[in-house]
Amino acid sequence: MSAGGPLLEVRDLAVRVRESEGPRLVRDVSFEIAAGERLALVGESGSGKSTVAKALVQLDRTVEVSGSVRFDGRELVGARPGDLRRVRGSGIAMIFQDPMTALNPVRRVLDQVAEPLVIRGVPRREARRLAVAMLDRLGVADAARRAHDYPTAFSGGMRQRVVMAAALVGGPRLLVADEPTTALDVRVQEQVLDLIEEQSRELGLAVLLITHDLGIVAGLADRVAVMRSGALVETRPVDELFADPHHPYTRGLLESVPRIDAAPGQRLRTVADAVDDTRESADA
Amino acid sequence: MTRFVLRRVGLAVLTVWGVATLVFLMTKLIPGDAARVAAGRTATAEQIEAARQRLGLDRPMVEQYLHYLGGLLHGDLGWSASTKQPVAVDLQVAFPVTLQLVLVAMVFTVVVAIPLGTFAALRHGSAADAATRLVAILGGGVPVFWLALVLQWLFAVRLGWTPISGANGYGLDPPVVTGATLVDSLLAGSPQMFADSAAHLVLPALALSAPFLAVVVRNVRSTMLGVLGTDYASFAVAKGVTTWRLVVRHALPAAASSTLTILGMQLGFMLGAALLVEAVFAMPGLGTYLYTAILNQDTFAVLGGVLVTGAVFVLAGLVVDLIQMAIDPRVRSSHLAHA
Amino acid sequence: MLARGSRRLAGRRAGALDVLATVLVLVLLVLAAVGPWLAPHDPYRADPATALLPPGAGHLLGTDDSGRDILSRLLAGTRATLLSSVAVVVLSAAVGAAVATLAAASPRWLDEVIMRVVDMFLAFPSMVLALGVAAALGPSLTSVVVAMVIAMWPATARLVRSVMRETMAAQYVEAARLTGMSRRRAMLRHVLPNSLDSLYVQLGLDVSGAIVLIAGLAFLGVGAAPPSADWGSMVAAGREYVTTAWWVAFFPGAAITVAAVAFGLFGDALRTRLDPTVVRG
Ligand SMILES: Nc1ncnc2c1ncn2[C@@H]1O[C@H](COP(=O)(O)OP(=O)(O)O)[C@@H](O)[C@H]1O
Ligand SMILES: [Mg+2]
């Protein structure tokens, strides 16, 4: 481990579609995450958040990643496939938006959760024991029995727990959670967020939480990075950002969060409204 | 689940009855005196009269039909005027040969198509897409009996790598137990007979699988591409799996399941094509039996073979559906939901 | 965006193939029309002196066991091959569409019964069903066409019935019904034409399939009666000479292949061009 440096250090990250002259999907993205820290990456849908997340461990083979991603002191951009695979799962784990589609419908839950261990040579029995323990830890009731079911037998919230178990079982140090609650019921959303925070504290796990919903950021993240049209507009501690957003776009995002203390009948502002405001002020 | 199985079986029984009825109606298409056709070309007046009695042709239509169905229930598929035997007895010998050929061709198709389709999926691009389209149309356009003749000429006549025709070399046919030479030679415990049976099967199976190979490769490729594009494939990569493991553990089960469906759907075409291939290689199966029967204008033998083929096809569809239900949890649960 | 780009590329590359298929189909049509006059020899005159001559100057594709010129017989047989396949496709499409329309216009229980009967027919492998009917009717090209229509109409009926079901529920049909159009009239004016479109787009592919199936039946002995120059029967006749005179079976088979592949490619091109519901690529 490199002493002192951040766990993840991203410099001038850019992503473009392979073999195309089109514009870059993402450009000039720089941020860092310390061990155990929780950073939220927010922005409108389509702003490039998922593209950044996947670029960290180069999940999408149709795009080309440039710049620098250092994890635990090691450079990942241009790393050998084998080294990259070692980082995936056991260094940086990812969970996706829709737990309904993130699990293979024709494989048993147990096999899918144990997979990160099995591919690292942990004996099958041991891997299964650890997988059940992780499911249990993440609140899947009667884990030893239910692990033998297929994903269809689980509800949405339970599936997200299963997905998290598969992500965490390999002992990663950074969890990238891409809109982990967007596809879930409101009530279940909160449980999953609590679970992420709890695991982060207990395991000293760093988290990159990706969301378009600033409303869920406040309780969970230490810092917030705001993304717009493929670039970061500002990165600041969460209380600071909420109290005094610098960028008009951030202000727009904040104002579009529904607030209980808003006057009844007051229309929610969209980000577009805020951007229009900035245009007007720029024109003036 | 049980209800679904019962419904599916019920449907199969109903369909077999429909198949039998259609074959009965075909006998009514025979121009002229059906009794004369049934008794054979060289029959005497008495023999024709006997055939008329046996088929009940002098009785009312409904009675004939019931008589015919009753006979079927007792395994009576009619009488062959050329072999002078019950058609059922002839088919007991011929059908296993055909079934063996179809199964071997299917195994061959799967063994070749899955790696090829996987490769095409991993290397997909516009050139590969155009190539698979061309191959699929070529596969559908080449008449299988002609392909069989070409293979026979090239590998058996020219190169002499395989036997030209038949099911076994002289003195190498295994004692008949099941009628399938591969199984029988194993039962006889003779590696020499087994090798000989296999050698006689290579070209017919190759010819028979060619048209279906293209279809299955195309299907494997598109299923693979589908799976590789899913979230769960991305999640698996994020867990650190290799491409190999992704393909074998995640995509292959889906591809296998859809291949099974396709093979089930293609089985009918394959049976039809097998008749042609057999006729080329003079394998003593259903195709050769029908070919000879047609040559001898033995129409009732032909219709008996047609009936059995139809019924076997229906039952095979039933089996494929039940297997599918057993291996795919989605099919299982969706049937549960509907039942 | 990437997908669209490569699709356009695949389209352009397929273009050459489409042109080739179209040219081949046109050539076949011309040969069907004037083929018999182009024949260098009498396709029916047997002559033991010229039996089983290999391909060469006098006989480009060789001669068969009766000494007849194979090229001349192929040219003479083009018309029968194309006519019978097209007849089978058109007739079975007509029968299938008529039955489907009848089913759609019938009360629900009758619709159900009709479609169950269609399923019974579909339970047969089409080759085997056609074989049975043709064998019962006796060997002639007419009985093969009848047998093939009996074997092929159910698939059309299934297809048209399912497209009709979708179209009946479509918004524009409902809109027409709201203007006071009767159910029958709405079916004839809107539903039927729309469903037939789904048939046109696969006519080419069906012709290709019919060519191969008819040839297969002829190969098994249920086809045009002996002296006629039928491609499938010609392959069958060459079967016994594989070891000694390969050309007798080879060229007729090659002709069948070329015709089937040409119509297949042509049909596939037509479908991708005409059918808005087919995604290219
Ligand atoms: N592989 C790719 N090829 C082409 N376009 C892509 C690819 N991946 C993402 N994009 C495009 O990049 C933009 C950003 O997408 P994404 O990162 O998913 O946004 P977010 O997660 O913020 O909603 C979208 O317009 C998307 O269509
Ligand atoms: Mg996203």
Side-chain angles (χ1 to χ4, degrees), chain C residues 192-255:
Chain C
L192 187 60
N194 191 296
S195 314
L196 289 186
D197 282 349
S198 63
L199 275 188
Y200 300 149
V201 298
Q202 52 167 10
L203 283 184
L205 291 171
D206 287 347
V207 170
S208 169
I211 291 174
V212 175
L213 265 178
I214 291 176
L217 290 177
F219 183 77
L220 281 180
V222 290
S228 63
D230 178 89
W231 292 1
S233 317
M234 288 169 74
V235 181
R239 198 170 80 98
E240 0 175 354
Y241 303 105
V242 191
T243 48
T244 51
W246 56 269
W247 56 90
V248 183
F250 180 83
F251 291 114

Side-chain angles (χ1 to χ4, degrees), chain A residues 17 25 43-52 60 62-63 178-179:
Chain A
V17 177
L25 301 173
E44 274 185 302
S45 147
S47 55
K49 307 181 297 290
S50 298
T51 306
V52 168
D60 186 350
T62 65
V63 300
D178 189 353
E179 314 243 12

Side-chain angles (χ1 to χ4, degrees), chain C residues 24-232:
Chain C
L24 275 176
V25 166
L26 286 177
V27 168
L28 283 167
L29 290 178
V30 169
L31 289 182
V34 304
W37 290 285
L38 295 179
H41 298 268
D42 181 347
Y44 301 108
R45 218 190 60 142
D47 179 1
T50 58
L52 297 177
L53 291 179
H59 300 275
L60 269 182
L61 304 182
T63 60
D64 67 8
D65 53 346
S66 307
R68 296 171 297 199
D69 180 55
I70 290 178
L71 175 61
S72 304
R73 285 177 68 71
L74 284 181
L75 287 169
T78 314
R79 187 182 299 171
T81 300
L82 296 196
L83 266 185
S84 58
S85 328
V86 170
V88 162
V89 169
V90 171
L91 287 176
S92 51
V95 174
V99 172
T101 312
L102 183 73
S106 301
R108 172 163 286 193
W109 67 269
L110 189 55
D111 180 13
E112 186 76 16
V113 170
I114 294 175
M115 294 322 284
R116 273 279 169 255
V117 171
V118 168
D119 284 344
M120 301 284 164
F121 275 88
L122 285 174
F124 268 107
S126 49
M127 165 98 195
V128 176
L129 180 56
L131 185 72
V133 176
L137 287 173
S140 81
L141 198 55
T142 320
S143 63
V144 167
V145 171
V146 171
M148 289 282 299
V149 171
I150 288 178
M152 286 180 81
W153 72 269
T156 312
R158 249 272 144 261
L159 175 71
V160 174
R161 184 68 193 92
S162 75
V163 176
M164 279 188 162
R165 196 164 283 144
E166 280 163 29
T167 319
M168 289 281 254
Q171 218 119 55
Y172 67 92
V173 175
E174 282 194 3
R177 295 266 282 134
L178 284 178
T179 64
M181 194 181 267
S182 74
R183 184 181 148 86
R184 181 151 305 161
R185 204 175 151 73
M187 278 202 45
L188 288 179
R189 283 286 294 277
H190 293 285
V191 179
L192 187 60
N194 191 296
S195 314
L196 289 186
D197 282 349
S198 63
L199 275 188
Y200 300 149
V201 298
Q202 52 167 10
L203 283 184
L205 291 171
D206 287 347
V207 170
S208 169
I211 291 174
V212 175
L213 265 178
I214 291 176
L217 290 177
F219 183 77
L220 281 180
V222 290
S228 63
D230 178 89
W231 292 1

Side-chain angles (χ1 to χ4, degrees), chain A residues 59 61 85 88-90 92-96 98 101-107 112-113 115-116 118-120 124 150 152 163 166-167, chain B residues 122 227-228 230-243 245-246 249-251 253-254 257 326-330 332-333:
Chain A
L59 270 192
R61 290 205 288 179
R85 271 202 304 277
R88 291 175 190 152
S90 60
I92 302 177
M94 279 189 82
I95 62 179
F96 297 96
D98 190 353
T101 59
L103 294 171
N104 188 335
V106 297
R107 299 187 67 212
Q112 299 194 57
V113 175
E115 188 160 38
V118 172
I119 58 181
R120 284 183 180 81
R124 188 164 295 269
Y150 290 92
T152 37
V163 170
Chain B
L122 292 177
V227 172
L228 295 179
T230 59
D231 280 359
Y232 64 80
S234 297
F235 189 44
V237 175
K239 287 183 201 167
V241 305
T242 56
T243 307
R245 189 180 166 94
L246 180 67
R249 284 307 175 86
H250 291 264
S257 157
I327 64 173
D328 192 333
R330 277 172 306 180
R332 245 190 340 249
S333 55

